[in-house]
């Protein structure tokens, strides 16, 4: 499998419903909750790509462009964007859609950097 095929095969997609217990006083999804979900989806994509133990080492710019109201459906999409010797950058987008209407819009985008670890918790080479 070449790099592009491996990236496509490792893409992670998760759907969630935004319930009131995950929202702030504006009835929109807590930013920290969104980040937690994004980190988990990024972890899944990184692990599926490398098939190694992976840990988050940093996040790059996170852009919240649209609020995510309670009572909506969100889709989190994680995809490996770049691969280094021991690290990967994973882009995660959150799309929001109303439950009873067609269409959706991108609400959040972020980049998460992961490093692959060996059994001794030391960085290890990612084999493509």
């Amino acid at each position: 499998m070449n790099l592009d095929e491996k990236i496509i095969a490792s893409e992670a997609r998760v759907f969630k419903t935004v319930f009131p217990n995950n929202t702030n006083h504006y009835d929109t999804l807590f930013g920290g909750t969104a980040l937690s979900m994004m980190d988990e989806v990024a972890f899944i994509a990184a692990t599926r790509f490398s098939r190694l133990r992976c840990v988050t080492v940093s996040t790059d710019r996170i852009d919240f462009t649209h609020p995510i109201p309670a009572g909506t459906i969100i889709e989190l999409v994680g995809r490996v964007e770049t691969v280094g010797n021991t690290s990967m950058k994973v882009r995660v987008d959150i799309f929001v859609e109303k439950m009873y209407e067609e269409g959706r819009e991108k609400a959040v985008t972020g980049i998460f950097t992961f490093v692959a670890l060996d059994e001794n918790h030391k960085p290890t080479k990612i084999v493509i």
Side-chain angles (χ1 to χ4, degrees), residues 37-86:
M37 289 184 213
M38 292 172 78
D39 188 35
E40 182 176 359
V41 169
F43 167 79
I44 292 168
T47 301
R48 291 182 76 206
F49 180 86
S50 68
R51 296 299 175 181
L52 296 166
R53 293 172 180 88
C54 295
V55 294
T56 309
V57 294
S58 69
T59 60
D60 292 349
R61 183 181 177 114
I62 308 292
D63 292 315
F64 293 84
T65 55
H66 294 287
I68 302 174
T72 57
I73 297 167
I74 58 172
E75 180 184 16
L76 298 101
V77 180
R79 185 180 181 122
V80 173
E81 287 212 326
T82 59
V83 181
N85 189 38
T86 62

Side-chain angles (χ1 to χ4, degrees), residues 1-126:
M1 186 178 305
N2 69 34
L3 177 63
D4 290 335
E5 292 169 332
K6 198 168 183 176
I7 287 171
I8 290 168
S10 65
E11 185 176 272
R13 294 177 172 267
V14 173
F15 288 88
K16 301 259 188 194
T17 304
V18 180
F19 290 109
N21 64 321
N22 286 322
T23 62
N24 58 30
H25 58 291
Y26 298 113
D27 291 326
T28 59
L29 184 66
F30 279 117
T33 302
L35 289 172
S36 175
M37 289 184 213
M38 292 172 78
D39 188 35
E40 182 176 359
V41 169
F43 167 79
I44 292 168
T47 301
R48 291 182 76 206
F49 180 86
S50 68
R51 296 299 175 181
L52 296 166
R53 293 172 180 88
C54 295
V55 294
T56 309
V57 294
S58 69
T59 60
D60 292 349
R61 183 181 177 114
I62 308 292
D63 292 315
F64 293 84
T65 55
H66 294 287
I68 302 174
T72 57
I73 297 167
I74 58 172
E75 180 184 16
L76 298 101
V77 180
R79 185 180 181 122
V80 173
E81 287 212 326
T82 59
V83 181
N85 189 38
T86 62
S87 65
M88 297 159 277
K89 288 191 180 279
V90 180
R91 176 190 176 110
V92 179
D93 295 312
I94 299 180
F95 297 91
V96 62
E97 59 186 77
K98 295 178 181 173
M99 286 193 191
Y100 309 112
E101 295 178 20
E102 294 293 326
R104 70 184 198 159
E105 63 185 347
K106 190 185 317 181
V108 185
T109 299
I111 304 292
F112 295 75
T113 302
F114 285 81
V115 71
L117 302 177
D118 64 15
E119 60 280 348
N120 297 312
H121 307 288
K122 302 289 185 207
T124 189
K125 183 167 178 53
I126 298 168

